[in-house]
């Protein structure tokens, strides 16, 4: 009985480990004109909450996001920014409706995200690591 329990637990652990490899690996990308190679997490949060409109060296930043219900947006919001997608949407809506800010530029999919970030100087966005190409640069998070 003990061997079956141990074997079952080992099998469960292997399935759990295997499914972690299937999780979305989301990375932050930027236009090649962006001078930074990394950003502090708090700066990244402020940029995507639309509270900060420039990068640390003063360059204007253009933010691109995927739709609220897109799996990559959900993963980015929760795992990287540490907020739920609806919390970001509330912050954007509040800024827009109060006249104190604007919402980010929304794109439909990762291909459009890559194209938009690659063609817009000073832009920032996110994609799955497997979607990365050489048109954009990866920003590390400090």
């Amino acid at each position: 009985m003990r061997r079956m329990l141990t074997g079952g637990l080992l099998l469960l652990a292997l399935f759990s480990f295997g499914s972690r490899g299937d999780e979305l690996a989301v990375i932050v990308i930027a236009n090649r004109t962006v001078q930074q190679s990394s950003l502090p997490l708090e700066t990244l949060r402020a940029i995507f909450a639309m509270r900060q409109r420039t990068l640390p060296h003063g360059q204007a930043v253009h933010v691109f996001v995927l739709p609220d219900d897109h799996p990559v947006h959900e993963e980015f919001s929760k795992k990287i920014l540490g907020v739920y997608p609806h919390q970001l949407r509330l912050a954007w809506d509040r800024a827009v409706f109060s006249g104190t800010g604007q919402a980010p530029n929304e794109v439909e999919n990762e291909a459009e995200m890559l194209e938009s970030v690659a063609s817009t100087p000073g832009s920032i966005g996110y994609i799955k690591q497997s979607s990365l190409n050489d048109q954009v640069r990866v920003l590390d998070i400090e």
Side-chain angles (χ1 to χ4, degrees):
M1 178 71 172
R2 183 176 234 167
R3 281 186 142 209
M4 283 181 56
L5 183 60
T6 304
L9 288 174
L10 180 59
L11 194 57
L12 181 62
L14 287 174
F15 280 124
S16 296
F17 181 77
S19 68
R20 286 179 188 246
D22 295 336
E23 285 181 345
L24 299 173
V26 178
I27 56 173
V28 177
I29 59 171
N31 182 273
R32 294 206 164 272
T33 62
V34 172
Q35 298 172 2
Q36 287 77 22
S37 59
S38 65
L39 287 174
L41 179 56
E42 286 307 312
T43 301
L44 191 67
R45 284 181 178 146
I47 288 170
F48 277 94
M50 302 303 287
R51 292 188 321 263
Q52 183 169 331
R53 296 184 178 122
T54 60
L55 293 165
H57 288 105
Q59 183 178 21
V61 66
H62 301 278
V63 180
F64 289 93
V65 297
L66 292 165
D68 292 353
D69 60 349
H70 194 287
V72 175
H73 178 72
E74 290 176 1
E75 186 77 7
F76 172 73
S77 298
K78 292 177 187 176
K79 302 286 174 137
I80 295 180
L81 298 180
V83 298
Y84 288 100
H86 73 270
Q87 291 172 303
L88 277 177
R89 176 64 55 192
L90 287 172
W92 301 334
D93 289 348
R94 190 173 23 247
V96 169
F97 294 136
S98 68
T100 61
Q102 62 185 33
N105 303 294
E106 188 171 307
V107 295
E108 291 300 314
N109 53 49
E110 290 180 273
E112 193 177 336
M113 174 75 77
L114 277 165
E115 182 182 321
S116 298
V117 171
S119 63
T120 309
S123 62
I124 188 171
Y126 52 87
I127 55 171
K128 288 184 300 195
Q129 186 167 3
S130 60
S131 300
L132 182 64
N133 64 28
D134 61 353
Q135 295 178 312
V136 295
R137 63 187 303 174
V138 175
L139 289 182
D140 293 325
I141 303 166
E142 300 170 6

